[in-house]
Every structure is written in C-alpha cells, then in structure tokens.
Amino acid sequence: NVCYIGTDSYEGIGMAVNHLFKLGHRDIAFLNGSLYSMVSDQRQEAFESSMTELGLEIRPDLMARGYYVSDSAKYHVPGFLAAGATAIVCGNDLIAKGVMEECVQRGFRVPEDISVIGFDDISLAATYNPPLTTIRQERNELGKCAYVILNSLIHHISISKTLLRPKLIERESTARREG
C-alpha cells in the first residue's frame, strides 16, 4: 500500500507563469530542481504546457535543472540573463533566493530588471530582499492529510493520491515588464 500527498504542481506552476504573463513578461526562464524527481518532472511539464497555452516559445536556453538549493542559481542564471530572460520561475523558494542574489551580484535589480517567483512559501520567503512572490503549499494541511492517509493505511483503506490546491502569494519580487 502506497500513497502520495502533495500540492498540485501543474496548477501552481501554471499560476506562476500566468502571473508573469499578465505582468507583460514573455521571455520567462525556469530553474527547476533535481533530475529524476517526480515533482521536478511534473513542474517541468507544467511549465512547458503553461508556456504553450499562452502562445509563448519554449526555449531550451531558458530552462535548466539544478538542485533544490540556492547554490544552483550561479550555474544557470548567467545564461538566462544573457539569453534575455525578464523573469525566472524557480522550482522552490531556496532556488529563488539564490536566483535573486545572483541577479543582484550581476547588476540586475529585482524586480525592476528581472522578476523572480518561487514555489513553497517557506517562512523565510517573506523576509527575502525583496520579499518573494511564491506559490504556497499549505504545510499544515499536508500534515493533516498525511495523518488521515496513515490512519487509513493502518486500517486497510486505500487512498492512492491526495493533491492540495496551491495559492499565489504576491509580494515584491515580481513587477510589470516595461517596454
């Protein structure tokens, strides 16, 4: 008996891309998490389908996989900036922190020159400089669902998959694209 609990990555990444699109961004990069991760695969698929639905070009030079740590940014952000990205969607909030730091280190202002959006809404995201726009996963709800599923498994009641709805949390790391 196996089950899965998580937040709907398709809906969450779709919210992020749509938010940036509404702000006028068209050259949107995606710095994803680890290879061989189901969540990373889902988020990659979600990013590509969201871009396609909006009629935006899926550019391999604006997509990369790192790890779910801020250090990943230094390997990929320079290429994104050189390729003309105006916004970067990140696989999680730690990656987003690294992206913002790397952008600033290279003379770009967040969000005036480049918008950045994360995923998770960890407690530190609101304290980043600037505070991070992100996709919230309701961690308390995930915990409650885990309890229900574990109790169900103990009592031989099958529950295969539980997906929670994400929520866009708008803060100061994204802005309207001028020009």
Side-chain angles (χ1 to χ4, degrees), residues 13-23 28 50 53-54:
I13 293 295
M15 288 174 165
V17 172
N18 278 299
H19 173 69
L20 294 168
F21 182 81
K22 287 176 185 171
L23 292 174
I28 303 170
S50 295
E53 285 172 19
L54 294 169

Side-chain angles (χ1 to χ4, degrees), residues 28 34 62 73 88 101 168:
I28 303 170
S34 309
L62 292 181
I88 303 174
E101 290 170 348
L168 174 67

Side-chain angles (χ1 to χ4, degrees), residues 22-91:
K22 287 176 185 171
L23 292 174
H25 295 277
R26 301 298 179 263
D27 297 308
I28 303 170
F30 182 46
L31 182 49
N32 200 354
S34 309
L35 280 171
Y36 314 114
S37 159
M38 180 184 74
V39 170
S40 294
D41 289 347
Q42 289 173 348
R43 291 181 184 174
Q44 185 70 40
E45 201 175 294
F47 177 77
E48 292 179 18
S49 67
S50 295
M51 294 288 284
T52 299
E53 285 172 19
L54 294 169
L56 300 176
E57 182 182 359
I58 298 171
R59 295 176 46 192
D61 60 337
L62 292 181
M63 293 186 297
R65 287 191 188 228
Y67 296 96
Y68 285 109
V69 295
S70 60
D71 206 38
S72 295
K74 68 182 177 187
Y75 302 105
H76 304 289
V77 169
F80 292 164
L81 297 173
T86 65
I88 303 174
V89 175
C90 301

